[in-house]
Amino acid sequence: MKNKRVVAYCRVSTEQESQEQSFKSQQEHYKQLFEKEGHIGGNCGAMYTDKLLQVTSNGIYADEGISGAKAYTNRQAFMQMIEDAKLGLYDKIYCKNIYRFSRDVEAGAKFIKDLRELNVEVYFEDMALSTLDAKSDMYINLSLAIGQEESRAKSAAVQWGIRKQQEQGKYHSAVTPYGYEYDDDRYLKINEEEAEVVKLIFKLYYDKGYGTQ
């Protein structure tokens, strides 16, 4: 059906320069795609960056560098998109691939079911799959399962790497605790200037009973 009201869901980089370029290029891509398919960009949209949700009217929903495996409460633009579907603001969602939409079988299937009940289609561009086409269900569910397993395996590998660093006495965070800095081998060493402040805080607490106030 032509002249559907359509939107798109995407993700943007966490780096400011890349973020701006990525968002602009994706907007242009979907603008051209909507016109090519003979559809109308929905008068709605949202972009979630720096923990701030900006509601827009460009037909694009974008979350800043948030994995499809993350809790949906962390994907504010995605959740805004679902709420807008309930308000009947659009008829179809374009998404580059299933993994971008979700890497969680249960949650992904639930959102697809909820949208289908609203007669809102989700179209995955890379495999040309539509959630309103029963023949696509098997491929969509299989892709959700693969995405979830890949996410689980990646998480396990990261946790293993952290444990190995801890066993070696290394600090694994990108940000060092106040009073310390990294040496050349990624071990913590005392930052002498900041250490004086730490000593003062301890002295005020221990000798004078000062608290956080």
Side-chain angles (χ1 to χ4, degrees):
M1 183 180 74
K2 298 292 184 180
N3 296 323
K4 282 186 177 181
R5 297 166 302 160
V6 297
V7 299
Y9 178 71
C10 52
R11 289 205 306 271
V12 294
S13 170
T14 54
E15 296 180 6
Q16 186 64 31
E17 185 176 345
S18 298
Q19 179 189 103
E20 292 177 359
Q21 185 59 39
S22 170
F23 196 52
K24 286 179 181 177
S25 63
Q26 289 183 80
Q27 280 184 290
E28 185 61 29
H29 165 72
Y30 285 113
K31 179 182 177 182
Q32 293 176 5
L33 180 60
F34 296 168
E35 291 175 353
K36 178 183 176 182
E37 298 292 329
H39 298 318
I40 303 168
N43 188 26
C44 52
M47 186 172 181
Y48 183 60
T49 61
D50 299 323
K51 297 184 178 179
L52 177 67
L53 181 67
Q54 178 186 358
V55 178
T56 66
S57 59
N58 57 17
I60 307 293
Y61 295 86
D63 283 304
E64 180 186 66
I66 299 175
S67 166
K70 293 282 187 180
Y72 283 88
T73 52
N74 293 335
R75 299 171 66 190
Q76 294 294 314
F78 184 95
M79 295 309 298
Q80 183 67 47
M81 180 176 70
I82 299 299
E83 290 303 310
D84 288 346
K86 294 176 183 177
L87 295 174
L89 299 184
Y90 59 84
D91 308 302
K92 182 176 181 177
I93 302 169
Y94 281 90
C95 193
K96 183 178 180 181
N97 54 52
I98 294 170
Y99 307 134
R100 186 158 293 184
F101 185 83
S102 179
R103 285 179 178 266
D104 182 290
V105 174
E106 184 178 354
K110 179 186 181 301
F111 283 119
I112 288 172
K113 177 178 178 291
D114 291 345
L115 290 165
R116 186 180 287 157
E117 289 176 353
L118 295 168
N119 203 33
V120 173
E121 176 186 9
V122 185
Y123 182 80
F124 301 108
E125 299 173 68
D126 63 340
M127 297 179 67
L129 298 175
S130 168
T131 56
L132 295 186
D133 181 1
K135 292 181 291 186
S136 297
D137 282 353
M138 183 183 72
Y139 299 102
I140 291 173
N141 291 331
L142 180 60
S143 295
L144 285 171
I146 292 171
Q148 179 173 292
E149 179 57 26
E150 286 179 349
S151 181
R152 185 207 62 77
K154 183 177 180 180
S155 176
V158 170
Q159 291 176 16
W160 181 85
I162 290 173
R163 285 197 298 272
K164 284 299 179 182
Q165 286 183 313
Q166 291 171 336
E167 289 171 3
Q168 296 168 10
K170 293 183 178 181
Y171 190 72
H172 63 270
S173 175
V175 180
T176 57
Y178 188 84
Y180 294 88
E181 60 189 22
Y182 281 125
D183 64 14
D184 294 338
D185 295 317
R186 296 286 292 178
Y187 288 95
L188 290 179
K189 66 177 183 180
I190 293 174
N191 180 308
E192 297 298 340
E193 183 177 348
E194 293 179 356
E196 295 304 313
V197 178
V198 175
K199 291 175 183 177
L200 176 60
I201 292 171
F202 180 81
K203 183 176 178 63
L204 291 173
Y205 168 78
Y206 189 78
D207 291 343
K208 298 188 177 183
Y210 283 19
T212 55
Q213 296 299 318

